[in-house]
Amino acid sequence: MLGWELCGHYAKLTERDQRTRGTSQGFIGRDPLCTKAEIDALLARMPRGVPGSARARRAARLVRDRSRSPMETAVALMLFAPQRLGGFGMPEPVVNGTVELQPRRDALMRSRLELDLHWLDPLRVTEYNGFDFHEGKSKAQAAKDAIRHNELEIRQIPHLTLVGSEVMDRLRFQLNARNIAQMLNHRLRLETRDWNQRYERFHADLLGLDYTPPEAYERL
């Protein structure tokens, strides 16, 4: 998550920061501090055997540029991270990339769209809408999101929109992940041993939720 924040357009706020700013929003927007390529270059120069370097290299494999919020980061990671980590192991999406669309003569349509998460050949889209999770989008951003949604609808581009409560709810997110896999025509095989437990832990870690391992219930 830290790597995504460094390479993304946001910075997380502590509870103290939120009180100082008088906001319930958990992050602020800002320009990226670095890129994934720069992180990879730094790790490549780091001598083998430095404490923590092997773990940092493993974590960097999953870092991507351009995320605009912690929830976008969590959604992307849960979808494409390997099943051995608790992810769904889907094809990797492009994060906040711009796509060129053929202009339509029968409507005033923009030919370029920036999409939260998308897959190409053919184009498929997943959008994250944080309105129900106090993410403080401006009216201008809300209007931009609505226009983008309408353009996807008019062009009949398959897409699925997630809201904050659906991401926070582990079972509802799993259902939506299956819907996304179906949209991508991707056969989802969750065959990794103990995958459900791995997914529960991964979901909790990414979203800062409490996690109770199964063995703890056995001691009750």
Side-chain angles (χ1 to χ4, degrees):
M1 290 289 281
L2 177 59
W4 284 69
E5 183 177 344
L6 293 172
C7 299
H9 294 268
Y10 68 90
K12 295 178 69 174
L13 296 177
T14 64
E15 291 184 1
R16 180 177 180 180
D17 291 334
Q18 293 178 49
R19 289 194 300 269
T20 301
R21 293 171 176 267
T23 179
S24 60
Q25 187 175 354
F27 67 95
I28 57 172
R30 57 133 173 83
D31 292 334
L33 301 180
C34 62
T35 66
K36 172 178 169 52
E38 290 171 339
I39 291 177
D40 289 342
L42 175 64
L43 292 173
R45 295 194 300 270
M46 186 178 296
R48 299 284 177 177
V50 173
S53 60
R55 185 176 180 181
R57 289 187 178 92
R58 288 195 299 271
R61 294 172 191 162
L62 294 176
V63 171
R64 299 296 181 267
D65 296 321
R66 298 189 303 273
S67 178
R68 294 193 178 278
S69 74
M71 293 289 269
E72 272 190 12
T73 294
V75 169
L77 275 172
M78 285 190 286
L79 290 179
F80 83 84
Q83 291 185 14
R84 60 182 172 78
L85 297 180
F88 288 87
M90 292 190 199
E92 182 179 336
V94 178
V95 180
N96 284 305
T98 300
V99 296
E100 298 282 350
L101 300 175
Q102 290 294 328
R104 291 169 54 104
R105 294 183 179 180
D106 58 341
L108 296 175
M109 304 292 294
R110 289 160 51 186
S111 59
R112 292 169 59 91
L113 284 179
E114 182 181 303
L115 304 169
D116 292 348
L117 303 175
H118 75 269
W119 296 260
L120 296 171
D121 301 322
L123 179 61
R124 299 291 185 266
V125 180
T126 293
E127 293 281 284
Y128 172 68
N129 185 329
F131 285 129
D132 69 333
F133 212 66
H134 309 293
E135 293 204 6
K137 288 189 177 181
S138 66
K139 291 183 178 180
Q141 183 60 49
K144 182 179 178 181
D145 289 348
I147 291 172
R148 183 170 62 234
H149 174 78
N150 290 340
E151 291 177 344
L152 293 173
E153 285 284 335
I154 292 171
R155 292 178 182 273
Q156 298 182 332
I157 296 172
H159 60 283
L160 186 146
T161 298
L162 297 170
V163 296
S165 58
E166 291 179 306
V167 178
M168 297 296 289
D169 186 305
R170 175 173 52 85
L171 296 179
R172 288 174 67 184
F173 185 82
Q174 184 172 351
L175 175 61
N176 276 301
R178 292 183 181 276
N179 292 335
I180 293 170
Q182 184 176 10
M183 180 177 68
L184 298 176
N185 197 26
H186 172 74
R187 187 173 181 182
L188 197 58
R189 296 181 177 179
L190 304 177
E191 298 175 350
T192 303
R193 185 180 179 183
D194 300 327
W195 180 85
N196 282 320
Q197 183 178 343
R198 292 171 185 268
Y199 167 57
E200 184 175 353
R201 183 189 294 273
F202 193 48
H203 179 270
D205 287 346
L206 289 175
L207 297 171
L209 303 174
D210 293 331
Y211 170 72
T212 304
E215 57 267 22
Y217 291 108
E218 297 173 2
R219 295 194 297 268
L220 295 179

